[in-house]
Amino acid sequence: MMMARGGAKVTKSLMTATGPRLFTTATRAMSHEGLSLNHLLKPTVADVSASSWIWNRDPTIGGGVRFASTITLGEKTATPTPTQENQKKTENESTGGDAGGNKGEKGITSYWGVEPNKITKEDGTDWKWNCFRPWETYKADMTIDLKKHHVPTTFLDRLAYWTVKSLRWPTDLFFQRRYGCRAMMLETVAAVPGMVGGMLLHCKSLRRFEQSGGWIKALLEEAENERMHLMTFMEVAKPKWYERALVITVQGVFFNAYFFGYLISPKFAHRMVGYLEEEAIHSYTEFLKELDKGTIENVPAPAIAIDYWRLPADATLRDVVMVVRADEAHHRDVNHFASDIHYQGRELKEAPAPIGYH
Ligand SMILES: [Fe+2]
Ligand SMILES: [Fe+2]
């Protein structure tokens, strides 16, 4: 109780010292990187009252310009009138509540009055995804070398290589040439290592009071990117009940195995993921061959993929597989690089992480 009172006092005195101006501008500082310092510290009336501005992100390595769009802040009202409530309902429906994994039929009441920002695309239409935002989209680097291979030299390398190779045999047997289904199922596994590695580095950073060199973010970005692969492929291949059961089992085993594997030897863990990604490139190349032969129908690309990879409106499944394969090649390079850092007796934080690039 005493501590809570003390905390409240400190907060109050901080707010008095900094004044409300800092708090009102803080949101803009986080939201708009291009705003000048002068405007952040002394916002004009126009700045404060402006309800929309342009989103711009700097070009990233190889990825090109991320996004440019317009954001409109929702107005907060203490007690919305019936008309406003109807408007809000329509808005929820038009922004695709379901698209973000929400149940769109009924709005969720917020005691705190927190409203999501209204986001529009460059062409003025509503941004319909809640599960990712325009500034998280990108163009895949299609120039990446797909044939690069890390030749295993040490015992650990060979162990990592043959572990992955031995996993391919049951996978080939189970899926055969059903590459859509295979891709979907493998992405449920591929999204685990980045999250586990990122989480462990996060905890290490807290434990040791030290920076991570950006590697927490890099690994979490990888996990999110892999999950988006899954969100894409589940649009073209629906999992059967026994496949869902298999995912639960495999996740339980793989998460724990990778967790302990990373604690014991991060250089082995990253090397193994590097080889897994090499296998993923191979699988997607086979997928492309089947699409070209016509044994798998080259259906239109899922809407989520068109927005996430900024593909043309008439993109097909083949285009999606191409960009996903480029992503896998990037994951391969990041993980072999991370393993190499450990092999040189250094820590990941000593080499700047490749952030903002998939
Ligand atoms: Fe993937
Ligand atoms: Fe990957």
Side-chain angles (χ1 to χ4, degrees), residues 183 186-187 190-191 222 225-230 233 277 280 284 324-325 327-328 331:
L186 290 184
E187 294 298 355
E222 180 190 301
N225 184 236
E226 294 285 19
R227 202 178 57 82
M228 287 303 290
H229 292 175
L230 175 65
F233 284 115
E277 301 291 353
Y284 283 116
V324 169
R325 187 174 64 165
D327 285 350
E328 308 298 12
H331 303 156

Side-chain angles (χ1 to χ4, degrees), residues 198-215:
M199 177 184 70
L200 287 172
L201 291 183
H202 177 82
C203 292
K204 186 179 174 184
S205 169
L206 304 179
R207 247 182 2 254
R208 295 194 178 180
F209 301 89
E210 65 183 24
Q211 298 287 350
S212 74
W215 281 92

Side-chain angles (χ1 to χ4, degrees), residues 191 193-200 202 214-227 358:
M195 183 57 70
V196 172
M199 177 184 70
L200 287 172
H202 177 82
W215 281 92
I216 299 170
K217 190 173 270 186
L219 295 184
L220 293 182
E221 272 184 2
E222 180 190 301
E224 174 63 4
N225 184 236
E226 294 285 19
R227 202 178 57 82
H358 295 280

